[in-house]
Amino acid sequence: MEFLGYSTWVLVHIALFSGLCFAADPFVSFELTYSFITASPLGVPQQVIAVNGNFPGHPLNVTTNNNVVVNVTNKLDEDLLITWPGVQMRRNSWQDGVLGTNCPIPSNRKWDYQFQVKDQIGSFFYFPSLNFQRAAGGFGSFIITNRPIISLPFAAPDGDIILLIGDWYTQNHTALRQTLDAGKDLGMPDGVLINGKGPYRYNTTLVPDGIAYETVSVEPGKTYRVRVHNVGISTSLNFRIQNHNMLLVETEGHYTSQQNYSNLDIHVGQSYTFLVTMDQNASTDYYIVASARFVNESLWQRVTGVAVLHYSNSKGAASGSLPPGPDDLYDKTFSMNQARSIRQNVSASGARPNPQGSFHYGSINVTDTYVLRSMPLVTINNTLRATFNGISFVNPKTPIRLADQHKVKGAYKLDYPKMPLTGAPKLDISVINGTYKGFIEVILQNNDTIMQSFHMDGYSFFVVGMDYGNWTESSRGTYNKWDAIARCTAQVFPGAWTAVLISLDNAGAWNLRVENLDRWYLGQETYMRIVNPEENGETEFSAPSNVRYCGALQNLQGDEKPSNAPMLITGWKLKLFFTLLLTLSAAISISC
């Protein structure tokens, strides 16, 4: 045997460590190859980003506490990073997959993400975080199933259904990027996709012939867990299934107080899980609908995703008008009240046996308050930019914690303002200096004209309040201090505020951003750097052995082999590896 190939090397490591008698948490591994393919989801051939040749990517299914290894191969013609919003990467922001934490994976190179889904359950998704690539695909569902020893707060469903919904343009992501770079608005999307497919032809005028649509096949009388993710660019969508109630049970890693909805607004970057019982007659198939919200519906009729729910004993195709969504174009309160109605199930166990409500967030003293204000787009240095607090973020050339480890000066600044700046907006590399073990209040004040989704990597936060107008200190009197939902992506209505509470117990550098892809691309983000001053290696991992270098540390990267070349382990390294393997195996057999 002359060498070990890369995949064999990984599998041997996984088999070795997961086989230890004292290793309680198994390893799972995935291979993801990113490439361009041609597809026509709305009837127009275009370049999309496929994962292992599939658009969208297949779901990745893991279990609480699994150690996850994801080998990503970049076959695109540009840099790539994959991010995992909602997956908390405990003590390990090195795996978060955004520019403030990771150097990009160049074209024709590969990189291993290695992280543990510690104490988590729930419905999430992954996607490429660079260069507006999410507008071309590359996304897929990421599901963390609870361990068998933790009971579900509902009867086990008969099956799982995953629906990736999102607005879509027939222009390539590079063209959309150029539009934003030129200071122009993207305009109305060309449609809404469901699982990468266009709408069912429910209307011969609005939907052209020949478009492939999604069909969800079910058995009558059975109950399915339906996981829905808005993976789109900037459009809030109302989701509904004709004639079927949707029992909400989970959102972004936390079980909810169970209540039925006939429809639910799902904003960009958000994920929800419903239980849906197939209790209707099968005279026809039924519509599954995702339609644009807060728009002139007569103009946006074509921006509607339609799939088909097909009973195995169905007697005919779906036909007729779509089930109506909320009739509230001029009513600001319906959607906000719906958002307020989503509460945490405080008696249910999440990933651990203790109830979700045992963390009494409402009785903890707040150590810091940040007001992050969004404004309409502004011009800075003759370019159109988006801001938080008057700052349009410029990503550091050297990732934040990598710069810390190598004492790189000037990579970023720890001077992010707690309140909006009063001067002219500016470009900056300013990040928030978070206090480890602090408990902070963040006020998201949306003075922009569009609905926004706020997200923080590495954390769930408690959404304790929202209302129209400007937040004041007296607004705290309206906070929900008992069963506020904990999640990682919260909607912030235009002309309104949302308040969240965050327990800063996860050291690292974590991205705060709007998930609206156009605003994110134009600089509406920052990072929170959280460092334990008494760090001893237990609260934050050091850089992984395969860390990539860039920026001021580019010279440390060294030579690389292209992704199609095997990583050879030969000669003395091979002998040493097998010597260690045999020694460790003997030690294990004795200790076990």
Side-chain angles (χ1 to χ4, degrees):
M1 181 175 175
E2 304 232 343
F3 67 88
L4 231 59
Y6 180 83
S7 297
T8 308
W9 171 262
V10 172
L11 290 173
V12 167
H13 272 75
I14 292 170
L16 173 64
F17 290 111
S18 64
L20 298 181
C21 64
F22 49 80
D25 301 322
F27 280 72
V28 293
S29 62
F30 303 94
E31 300 271 345
L32 302 184
T33 298
Y34 276 73
S35 63
F36 290 121
I37 63 171
T38 299
S40 306
L42 293 176
V44 179
Q46 64 182 121
Q47 178 180 270
V48 304
I49 296 176
V51 185
N52 296 342
N54 299 299
F55 170 74
H58 284 315
L60 306 183
N61 291 290
V62 301
T63 301
T64 299
N65 293 344
N66 276 176
N67 294 289
V68 183
V69 179
V70 186
N71 176 231
V72 173
T73 300
N74 180 12
K75 292 293 186 180
L76 307 179
D77 59 6
E78 54 188 14
D79 289 349
L80 176 70
L81 281 174
I82 307 304
T83 193
W84 323 83
V87 181
Q88 292 180 6
M89 308 290 176
R90 303 295 300 179
R91 303 183 291 164
N92 198 7
S93 64
W94 304 98
Q95 311 294 327
D96 199 35
V98 286
L99 281 175
T101 62
N102 292 84
C103 295
I105 308 168
S107 179
N108 289 317
R109 296 294 184 268
K110 61 173 61 179
W111 196 72
D112 280 352
Y113 290 87
Q114 303 175 48
F115 55 88
Q116 186 178 24
V117 287
K118 182 69 174 172
D119 293 335
Q120 283 196 268
I121 55 95
S123 307
F124 309 97
F125 64 94
Y126 61 92
F127 67 88
S129 65
L130 303 184
N131 300 320
F132 219 70
Q133 290 165 352
R134 194 176 81 205
F139 41 71
S141 190
F142 189 95
I143 305 302
I144 308 176
T145 303
N146 63 305
R147 294 171 293 167
I149 62 170
I150 306 296
S151 60
L152 293 169
F154 46 82
D158 297 301
D160 270 42
I161 296 167
I162 293 173
L163 298 173
L164 302 169
I165 63 176
D167 56 356
W168 190 260
Y169 292 83
T170 55
Q171 288 182 289
N172 292 347
H173 75 287
T174 52
L176 297 175
R177 209 165 61 205
Q178 290 167 3
T179 298
L180 292 175
D181 290 341
K184 299 176 182 178
D185 187 79
L186 294 180
M188 185 169 63
D190 296 300
V192 169
L193 304 188
I194 299 180
N195 285 353
K197 298 176 182 178
Y200 171 77
R201 201 178 190 203
Y202 70 96
N203 182 305
T204 57
T205 302
L206 294 173
V207 183
D209 194 16
I211 291 180
Y213 60 87
E214 181 76 347
T215 297
V216 177
S217 297
V218 295
E219 295 294 327
K222 292 192 174 181
T223 297
Y224 293 82
R225 177 165 42 194
V226 182
R227 305 181 193 263
V228 188
H229 314 274
N230 186 337
V231 297
I233 298 169
S234 62
T235 304
S236 297
L237 297 172
N238 182 264
F239 178 79
R240 52 200 184 273
I241 302 176
Q242 185 180 28
N243 290 5
H244 289 74
N245 281 323
M246 306 184 301
L247 183 68
L248 181 65
V249 295
E250 180 261 335
T251 181
E252 297 162 13
H254 293 270
Y255 293 121
T256 63
S257 177
Q258 295 177 19
Q259 49 191 322
N260 278 304
Y261 293 86
S262 58
N263 65 81
L264 187 69
D265 288 344
I266 304 180
H267 305 279
V268 177
Q270 292 188 330
S271 299
Y272 287 97
T273 300
F274 307 94
L275 295 181
V276 181
T277 300
M278 304 305 150
D279 56 4
Q280 299 299 300
N281 67 61
S283 56
T284 66
D285 293 339
Y286 294 91
Y287 293 125
I288 300 172
V289 181
S291 59
R293 290 290 276 131
F294 318 116
V295 295
N296 185 324
E297 292 187 12
S298 62
L299 295 176
W300 281 63
Q301 274 186 306
R302 65 181 171 84
V303 189
T304 301
V306 183
V308 168
L309 182 71
H310 173 72
Y311 280 57
S312 62
N313 60 342
S314 174
K315 297 179 176 63
S319 61
S321 301
L322 298 180
D327 183 17
D328 67 335
L329 180 58
Y330 303 104
D331 178 6
K332 293 182 176 182
T333 59
F334 173 84
S335 186
M336 184 177 283
N337 284 338
Q338 191 183 63
R340 289 169 172 158
S341 72
I342 299 170
R343 304 296 184 92
Q344 186 155 221
N345 185 337
V346 295
S347 62
S349 296
R352 304 179 72 177
N354 51 302
Q356 292 181 145
S358 60
F359 185 78
H360 300 293
Y361 69 90
S363 60
I364 302 174
N365 291 329
V366 169
T367 57
D368 256 323
T369 296
Y370 285 85
V371 176
L372 300 184
R373 186 179 68 186
S374 306
M375 297 292 287
L377 297 178
V378 296
T379 300
I380 305 176
N381 298 343
N382 297 317
T383 60
L384 199 64
R385 301 291 297 182
T387 61
F388 270 141
N389 284 3
I391 295 175
S392 188
F393 191 72
V394 179
N395 272 292
K397 297 186 183 301
T398 308
I400 293 167
R401 296 301 282 141
L402 196 62
D404 289 344
Q405 181 173 298
H406 291 268
K407 297 179 171 54
V408 175
K409 294 183 179 179
Y412 63 91
K413 298 192 297 186
L414 278 175
D415 61 352
Y416 202 87
K418 292 184 178 181
M419 300 291 289
L421 296 175
T422 56
K426 62 180 181 178
L427 302 173
D428 213 339
I429 52 175
S430 178
V431 305
I432 296 172
N433 188 15
T435 301
Y436 181 66
K437 293 292 187 179
F439 190 73
I440 67 170
E441 174 187 46
V442 178
I443 311 302
L444 307 163
Q445 180 69 55
N446 185 3
N447 290 351
D448 200 347
T449 57
I450 64 166
M451 172 71 75
Q452 295 189 350
S453 296
F454 171 84
H455 173 83
M456 183 174 181
D457 283 348
Y459 283 90
S460 290
F461 44 69
F462 295 95
V463 185
V464 293
M466 60 179 69
D467 205 350
Y468 285 99
N470 289 318
W471 179 89
T472 65
E473 291 190 6
S474 63
S475 302
R476 293 186 178 118
T478 67
Y479 286 3
N480 175 358
K481 295 189 175 183
W482 167 240
D483 61 353
I485 190 63
R487 63 186 313 161
C488 63
T489 306
Q491 61 268 59
V492 192
F493 290 80
W497 56 268
T498 295
V500 303
L501 300 178
I502 313 172
S503 177
L504 301 184
D505 60 353
N506 192 14
W510 304 105
N511 191 221
L512 290 80
R513 62 178 181 264
V514 291
E515 284 287 19
N516 307 60
L517 201 55
D518 51 348
R519 294 302 199 266
W520 182 13
Y521 178 77
L522 294 174
Q524 198 168 339
E525 65 172 323
T526 187
Y527 285 79
M528 187 176 294
R529 177 182 175 272
I530 304 163
V531 176
N532 180 359
E534 301 176 359
E535 181 59 59
N536 58 6
E538 293 184 0
T539 57
E540 184 180 9
F541 294 150
S542 58
S545 59
N546 67 339
V547 66
R548 294 195 59 84
Y549 295 98
C550 56
L553 303 172
Q554 181 66 52
N555 63 307
L556 299 179
Q557 181 56 38
D559 295 332
E560 292 184 87
K561 296 183 183 297
S563 61
N564 57 355
M567 186 184 78
L568 303 184
I569 305 168
T570 60
W572 69 268
K573 292 181 181 179
L574 184 64
K575 292 179 181 177
L576 176 61
F577 172 74
F578 278 111
T579 299
L580 290 173
L581 180 61
L582 291 171
T583 303
L584 187 55
S585 297
I588 292 167
S589 64
I590 294 171
S591 63
C592 291

